[in-house]
Each structure stands twice: as C-alpha cells, then as structure tokens.
C-alpha cells in the first residue's frame, strides 16, 4: 500500500553506489560521523559550563552566612 519494499531499497542503494562510488560514500560517512561527535562534545561542554555557573549559587548553612555578613560589615566600616 504505497510502502517501499526491500527490493526497491536495494535498487536505490545500488544506484547511489554507482553514482558516488564506495570511497566517496565512505568519506561522507566519516565526515558525518565526526560532525555528530563534535556536536555531542560541544553540547556536553556547554552543559558542564552551565553546571559551573549554577554551582556558585549553592545554599549555605547559617554559620557561613553569618561569617560572610560580619566580614561584609567590617569591610563597609573600614571603607567609611
């Protein structure tokens, strides 16, 4: 019912191989594979960068907040 059979796919594959040749198809496949690999690496690098940015905003315990607050007030008093 309008689907592509296995024989039609084989005929198309033979025509493509005859037109381009196996060496050129192998090069295209290698280039495509390296492009996908580079894309995946770039995406994982970007996610790592995003995690580093988000890591600065980790919740702190009360003692750390108090010591930072006192350090800030001491700086403000020294500057004034």
């Amino acid at each position: 019912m309008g689907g592509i059979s296995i024989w039609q796919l084989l005929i198309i594959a033979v025509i493509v191989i005859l037109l381009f040749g196996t060496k050129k198809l192998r090069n295209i496949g290698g280039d495509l594979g390296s492009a996908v690999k580079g894309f995946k690496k770039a995406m994982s690098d970007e996610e790592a960068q995003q995690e580093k940015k988000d890591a600065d905003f980790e919740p702190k315990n009360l003692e750390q907040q108090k010591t930072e607050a006192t350090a800030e007030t001491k700086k403000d008093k020294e500057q004034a």
Side-chain angles (χ1 to χ4, degrees), residues 60-77:
K60 299 176 181 176
N61 62 25
L62 290 176
E63 291 178 24
Q64 288 176 333
Q65 289 176 352
K66 287 179 185 177
T67 55
E68 287 179 2
T70 55
E72 288 177 6
T73 54
K74 287 181 183 177
K75 272 188 185 177
D76 291 340
K77 288 180 182 178

Side-chain angles (χ1 to χ4, degrees), residues 38-51:
F39 178 75
K40 286 182 180 180
K41 183 177 184 248
M43 291 301 291
S44 65
D45 288 347
E46 186 173 317
E47 287 175 2
Q49 283 288 63
Q50 194 67 19
E51 288 176 5

Side-chain angles (χ1 to χ4, degrees), residues 26-46:
R26 189 179 311 132
N27 288 341
I28 291 171
D31 292 343
L32 183 64
S34 64
V36 169
K37 188 176 183 181
F39 178 75
K40 286 182 180 180
K41 183 177 184 248
M43 291 301 291
S44 65
D45 288 347
E46 186 173 317

